[in-house]
Amino acid sequence: MNIKQLNLSGIKGVIFDLDGTLVESSLDFTKMRIDVGCPQDQDILTYVDAIACNETKANAHNAILQHELDDAQNAKWLPIGKAMVEKVQAHNLPMAIVTRNCRQATAIKVANNNIPIDYVLTREDAPAKPDPTALLMVANTWQLQPEDCLYVGDFIYDQQAAENAGMKWFLV
């Protein structure tokens, strides 16, 4: 992917995914699913939310949290992520991060890499992608129409969330 492909014409605000878009992630979703008993073909957050037993659900959430916190300590800027943020800064556009990560791991990744984005929504703030709620919350806060925003991510959930919100999208 070339940074020149990131077209900002007509864009009034840019929202980024975090893992795999701005920073590297070494999260092992196969191991994470095994740890919580989630079938490999299911979304792990949806699976855990559907667990009926509160103790089992809490243990699963804690297992996911530990994986995310371990990953957060080592997450580094992706060169393309840094270049995209710098390009958006050069265009003087507002930026936000919407991630499926927990707030604690996200804060570590943002702080450790000095990512210059203050507006961050995690799965504690809104339903996880591909649900468009978090993206629409950002557009609403910026007082922009969804179609004036660009969502940049690296996974099918990012594309689906943007489409569900009526936003332009760009996959890296």
Side-chain angles (χ1 to χ4, degrees), residues 18 22-23 77 85 97 109-118:
L18 185 60
L22 296 182
V23 299
W77 267 114
V85 167
I97 293 172
K109 291 176 182 185
V110 170
N112 285 355
N113 292 286
N114 296 313
I115 296 174
I117 300 175
D118 297 327

Side-chain angles (χ1 to χ4, degrees), residues 4 24 41 44 51 61 63 65 69-70 77-78 80-83 87-88 91 93 99 102 113 120 126 135:
K4 292 182 179 129
E24 64 191 19
D41 62 343
I44 193 166
I51 294 173
H61 278 297
L65 176 66
L69 292 176
D70 291 345
W77 267 114
L78 288 167
I80 190 66
K82 191 167 191 155
K87 182 172 182 173
V88 175
H91 283 76
L93 298 172
T99 178
C102 68
N113 292 286
V120 179
L135 299 182

Side-chain angles (χ1 to χ4, degrees), residues 58-96:
N59 289 339
H61 278 297
N62 287 335
I64 293 170
L65 176 66
Q66 196 54 57
H67 279 275
E68 289 178 337
L69 292 176
D70 291 345
D71 177 62
Q73 299 303 327
N74 303 311
K76 300 287 180 241
W77 267 114
L78 288 167
I80 190 66
K82 191 167 191 155
M84 289 186 299
V85 167
E86 289 169 351
K87 182 172 182 173
V88 175
Q89 283 179 310
H91 283 76
N92 219 12
L93 298 172
M95 292 184 287

Side-chain angles (χ1 to χ4, degrees), residues 116-132:
I117 300 175
D118 297 327
Y119 189 9
V120 179
L121 294 178
T122 67
R123 68 171 178 262
E124 289 99 337
D125 301 307
K129 299 173 292 183
D131 186 293

